[in-house]
Amino acid sequence: QVIQSEGGSVQAGGSLNLSCKVSGYSHTNYCLGWFRQIIGAPREGVVAIGSDGSTTYGDAVKGRVIISHDNADNMLTLNLELNNLKPEDSATYYCVARGRGTAGLGGYCVCTTTVCPGSVGQGTQVTVSS
């Protein structure tokens, strides 16, 4: 299960924090990440972080995001800090968890085995005004 925090609205140049809590996954072999999507457009990877120490970022957000995660009380928590936001960062942001996963190219979680379990959060809207 993946439960996301609320999003929000900010002005361009501002910052926003998102978080999600993940349950039901191994605490030793996983990938957590964020992707975003605008209606009518394909998904865009934001950031992915693996339990193996791997971290990758989407090209559009490189240098503007800080990611952290922790593993406590039988829960995985992923925190995302978005900085220097631009109007084009406006989208619905989704938290994703993959068991037996690692951070792949472009800020996506990928499987380390042929098949791996995955879950996606409910989505949260981020709006950046100019």
Side-chain angles (χ1 to χ4, degrees):
Q1 187 178 24
V2 179
I3 305 296
Q4 299 180 210
S5 64
E6 295 292 320
S9 298
V10 297
Q11 289 196 322
S15 297
L16 195 66
N17 292 307
L18 301 177
S19 66
C20 67
K21 292 190 178 296
V22 178
S23 59
Y25 283 85
S26 164
H27 283 214
T28 57
N29 188 357
Y30 61 85
C31 179
L32 304 177
W34 292 89
F35 68 87
R36 64 190 186 185
Q37 191 165 24
I38 302 169
I39 294 175
R43 293 180 178 182
E44 182 180 22
V46 176
V47 62
I49 185 166
S51 59
D52 57 3
S54 59
T55 307
T56 60
Y57 300 87
D59 288 340
V61 300
K62 275 181 183 175
R64 299 191 293 121
V65 302
I66 299 173
I67 189 79
S68 66
H69 74 300
D70 63 53
N71 175 350
D73 299 329
N74 213 30
M75 188 81 69
L76 297 170
T77 301
L78 181 66
N79 301 300
L80 175 66
E81 180 181 322
L82 301 164
N83 297 304
N84 191 21
L85 284 162
K86 306 173 183 180
E88 52 264 42
D89 292 319
S90 297
T92 301
Y93 285 70
Y94 296 89
C95 181
V96 61
R98 281 210 176 274
R100 300 192 300 276
T102 188
L105 293 175
Y108 291 99
C109 284
V110 297
C111 299
T112 56
T113 55
T114 303
V115 178
C116 68
S119 300
V120 180
Q122 76 273 25
T124 186
Q125 181 65 39
V126 171
T127 302
V128 185
S129 57
S130 58

